[in-house]
Amino acid sequence: MSSIYIKNAYIVTANGKGEIIKDGSIFIEDGEIKEVGKSDSMKAYRPEYLIDAAHKVVMPGLINTHVHLAQALMRGLVPDNVNLIEWLRDWVWPLQGNMTEDEAAVSTELTLLEMINSGTTTFLATSVNGRYGVNRTIDAVYKSGIRGAIGRQIMDIPGYADQPQMLHSGLIEDADKSLKEFEYVYGRWNNKDGRIWIWLSPRTPGAVSDDLFRRISLVVSEHNSGVTMHLAEVRDDIRYFGSRNTSPARFLKDLGMVGPKHVYVHGVWLTEEDMGIFAGTGTSVSHNPSSNSKLGSGIAKVVSMLRNGVNVTLGTDGGPSNDTYDLLRELRLALLLQKVDNLDPQAFNLMEAIKLATINGARGLGIETMVGSIEVGKRADLAIFDVRKPYTSPSVIAPISNLVYAGTGSDATDVIVDGKFLKKNGKVLVLDESLVIEKAERASAELLARAGKKDWTGPDPL
Ligand SMILES: [Zn+2]
C-alpha cells in the first residue's frame, strides 16, 4: 500500500466551510485522503513517503476548465493587437488548419508539461479536432497521469456567429464522422481509471445547426457525458443571438443544451436573465480573464454570476490568447479584475477566487465528490507550493495571499494526482521537459512556414 504523509503544512482545504489549517498534516493511502488536521492531533502513521511542508502551501490540485491542447505550440506566433474575429480568421485557424498530427501531439505534451509543472491536476480540453488525432491526444493525457475531460469537436457549418464561411478549410469536419469517433473514443476511454472523460465540444454558435445541437443534447444525456463550448465571448456573439431574437442562455435552453456538466466558456456578455437560466439549471461558466483581456473582449461579470447562483470556474484558454496555462496566475488576474470592474476592493475575495480554481471546477466537471477540495474520502489530488521565494517572502503571516498575488505556478514543488507524484521536488516526472521543449521549438517554425507565414516575425517589434 502506497502512502504519503505531509506535515507542517499550511493547508487550503477549499471545503464547504473554507477552512485553512495552519501547521496541518495530510495522510494519503492508496490515492485517497485518509486524514486531514492539525499536525499535533493526527494519528501515528508510518508512511512510505514523508513530505515536510514547512513554508509551503498545500492546495487542492488546480482545475483548469478551458484548455486548447493544440495551441501551446502557437504561443508567440500570433499578433497581440487584433480582435477575436481577425485573430481567429487570419491567424489561429490557418495555423490550426495546417497543423499535422505530430505537431498536435507535441503541443499536447507541451500543454500537459506546463499544467503539471504549475499545479494543475484536472482540466477540461475544448475543440479537439479530428486532424489533431483524437485518440492519440487522449492517450497522451492518460499517460501523463493527469485527470482530463476531453471535448471532441463537433460542427456542421464552417462559420462563426453570423459569418457562415469563416472557418479555415483544414478544420472543417463532418458531423456524422465526429459523432462516430466520439462514440468510439467514449467506449474506449470514458472513465478509464477515474481520470479520463470524453465530452462533446460543439464549435461555436453559428458553426452548429439547431438540428445538430439537438442531436448533441441527446447523445450527451444518453451517455451522461458533458458539453463545453465558447459562448458570449465578444459583442459579435451577442449580435448573432440578437439576429435570432434570443439570448445565449435562452438559445441553449431551447435546444436542451443546459444542465450539469455543461461548461460554457467566457460568458463575458451574459445578461442577468442568462445568469438566471444557468443558475437554475446547474450550468457552469468558465471564466478566462487573461484571454478576455488580451483580445479586448471585455470583463466577465463574475461577481454578478456568483451572486445569481451560477457555478463559475476558471480557465486559461490557449497559447496565443493567454499565453500561459498557469492557473495560479489566472487566479491573480481574476481577483484583480473583479475588484477594479466593481470599483470595490471588497467585491471579490481571495477564498472566493480560490474556489473557482478548485471546487467549482470540480463541480463543473461533475466530479466534486471525488476531487476539488482536501477532505477525507476524496482522491489525493494536491499541489504543494513553496512560498519562500524572493517574490513571495515574507510569508509567515499570509502565505496564501502571497502565493496568489505574488507567486507563480512554477513554485509548485510537488504535484500529486490519485496519490501519485507527477512532479516531485521541483521536477516533472511524467514528461521529459527538455525533450518536449526541443520538439516544440522545431515544430513551431515548421508550422508557421506551412501556414504561409514564413516571414512573419511574431508580435516582437523587430
Ligand atoms: Zn478558447
Side-chain angles (χ1 to χ4, degrees):
M1 282 194 292
S2 65
S3 60
I4 303 171
Y5 191 89
I6 302 167
K7 66 172 187 178
N8 301 327
Y10 208 93
I11 303 170
V12 181
T13 65
N15 67 13
K17 294 185 213 150
E19 276 175 305
I20 291 160
I21 306 171
K22 208 174 163 180
D23 298 321
S25 291
I26 303 168
F27 180 64
I28 298 161
E29 193 172 49
D30 290 336
E32 191 181 299
I33 298 171
K34 298 288 188 184
E35 191 180 357
V36 187
K38 288 289 243 184
S39 294
D40 56 12
S41 67
M42 297 281 286
K43 291 186 210 120
Y45 293 105
R46 296 179 64 187
E48 208 170 285
Y49 193 78
L50 178 70
I51 298 175
D52 185 349
H55 316 297
K56 288 177 180 166
V57 172
V58 182
M59 301 258 290
L62 303 177
I63 299 180
N64 185 343
T65 55
H66 189 57
V67 172
H68 290 262
L69 291 167
Q71 288 188 359
L73 198 57
M74 293 153 57
R75 185 172 9 229
L77 301 191
V78 169
D80 63 352
N81 57 359
V82 292
N83 68 36
L84 180 73
I85 300 292
E86 204 180 321
W87 183 86
L88 288 169
R89 187 192 56 213
D90 301 341
W91 294 94
V92 171
W93 287 343
L95 286 164
Q96 290 185 162
N98 276 288
M99 191 173 264
T100 64
E101 214 180 283
D102 285 347
E103 286 163 352
V106 173
S107 189
T108 294
E109 283 186 355
L110 185 60
T111 314
L112 293 168
L113 176 65
E114 189 184 352
M115 288 197 292
I116 291 166
N117 186 56
S118 55
T120 291
T121 55
T122 298
F123 71 99
L124 169 57
T126 187
S127 312
V128 180
N129 189 288
R131 75 172 296 124
Y132 310 145
V134 178
N135 193 64
R136 190 169 165 187
T137 300
I138 301 165
D139 190 50
V141 172
Y142 177 73
K143 283 187 177 133
S144 77
I146 203 167
R147 278 183 222 280
I150 316 293
R152 206 288 174 214
Q153 188 164 69
I154 183 152
M155 56 168 285
D156 60 353
I157 303 167
Y160 180 93
D162 52 2
Q163 302 186 46
Q165 296 298 331
M166 205 176 112
L167 189 64
H168 186 273
S169 57
L171 292 171
I172 293 174
E173 300 207 82
D174 175 78
D176 289 323
K177 272 194 195 158
S178 306
L179 276 173
K180 214 168 157 190
E181 189 177 49
F182 165 83
E183 295 285 351
Y184 168 71
V185 289
Y186 182 91
R188 180 162 178 193
W189 292 101
N190 194 60
N191 211 22
K192 189 166 170 69
D193 294 0
R195 286 200 292 110
I196 301 289
W197 298 278
I198 308 301
W199 282 31
L200 275 166
S201 177
R203 233 192 68 235
T204 53
V208 178
S209 67
D210 291 4
D211 270 354
L212 182 55
F213 270 127
R214 287 192 195 94
R215 280 176 75 191
I216 292 169
S217 165
L218 287 175
V219 172
V220 166
S221 57
E222 181 192 331
H223 291 298
N224 189 25
S225 178
V227 170
T228 189
M229 179 172 72
H230 297 80
L231 186 77
E233 180 173 359
V234 292
R235 269 182 294 195
D236 293 280
D237 296 315
I238 301 305
R239 267 206 303 278
Y240 170 75
F241 293 110
S243 74
R244 301 195 49 174
N245 280 322
T246 187
S247 78
R250 223 183 313 139
F251 171 81
L252 291 167
K253 192 177 177 207
D254 289 346
L255 294 163
M257 292 280 296
V258 287
K261 297 206 274 184
H262 287 63
V263 178
Y264 292 111
V265 182
H266 301 302
V268 174
W269 296 94
L270 295 178
T271 61
E272 294 258 334
E273 184 209 345
D274 291 318
M275 294 175 199
I277 292 172
F278 282 174
T281 53
T283 306
S284 297
V285 172
S286 174
H287 175 45
N288 294 215
S290 294
S291 172
N292 300 153
S293 300
K294 192 177 185 196
L295 288 159
S297 306
I299 302 175
K301 305 294 175 203
V302 171
V303 171
S304 261
M305 286 194 253
L306 291 170
R307 273 195 204 126
N308 276 284
V310 179
N311 183 52
V312 183
T313 67
L314 195 65
T316 55
D317 215 342
S321 65
N322 187 308
D323 299 2
T324 164
Y325 294 80
D326 177 345
L327 203 67
L328 195 65
R329 285 159 74 182
E330 204 66 22
L331 198 50
R332 177 181 196 267
L333 185 61
L335 258 168
L336 296 179
L337 279 184
Q338 290 308 304
K339 288 172 184 287
V340 69
D341 192 41
N342 288 278
L343 300 176
D344 178 4
Q346 292 183 11
F348 196 40
N349 70 47
L350 189 60
M351 297 315 291
E352 281 176 318
I354 286 175
K355 280 197 213 161
L356 266 56
T358 55
I359 189 68
N360 287 14
R363 194 171 297 122
L365 297 181
I367 52 173
E368 71 275 20
T369 56
M370 183 198 275
V371 294
S373 59
I374 301 178
E375 296 182 82
V376 171
K378 285 203 168 180
R379 301 306 295 167
D381 288 16
L382 307 170
I384 306 178
F385 296 94
D386 184 356
V387 285
R388 258 201 173 177
K389 301 276 180 177
Y391 43 86
T392 47
S393 180
S395 60
V396 285
I397 305 297
I400 304 169
S401 173
N402 290 13
L403 176 66
V404 172
Y405 281 114
T408 84
S410 302
D411 299 333
T413 53
D414 301 270
V415 179
I416 298 169
V417 172
D418 255 347
K420 296 190 183 78
F421 287 92
L422 307 191
K423 184 180 187 183
K424 194 176 186 182
N425 295 326
K427 190 179 179 343
V428 173
L429 304 178
V430 289
L431 285 151
D432 181 336
E433 180 174 311
S434 38
L435 181 65
V436 173
I437 292 172
E438 171 74 39
K439 285 195 285 187
E441 300 282 310
R442 220 176 314 128
S444 66
E446 285 169 16
L447 173 62
L448 207 55
R450 195 174 321 108
K453 297 179 185 297
K454 192 163 67 71
D455 300 325
W456 162 243
T457 57
D460 287 356
L462 287 177

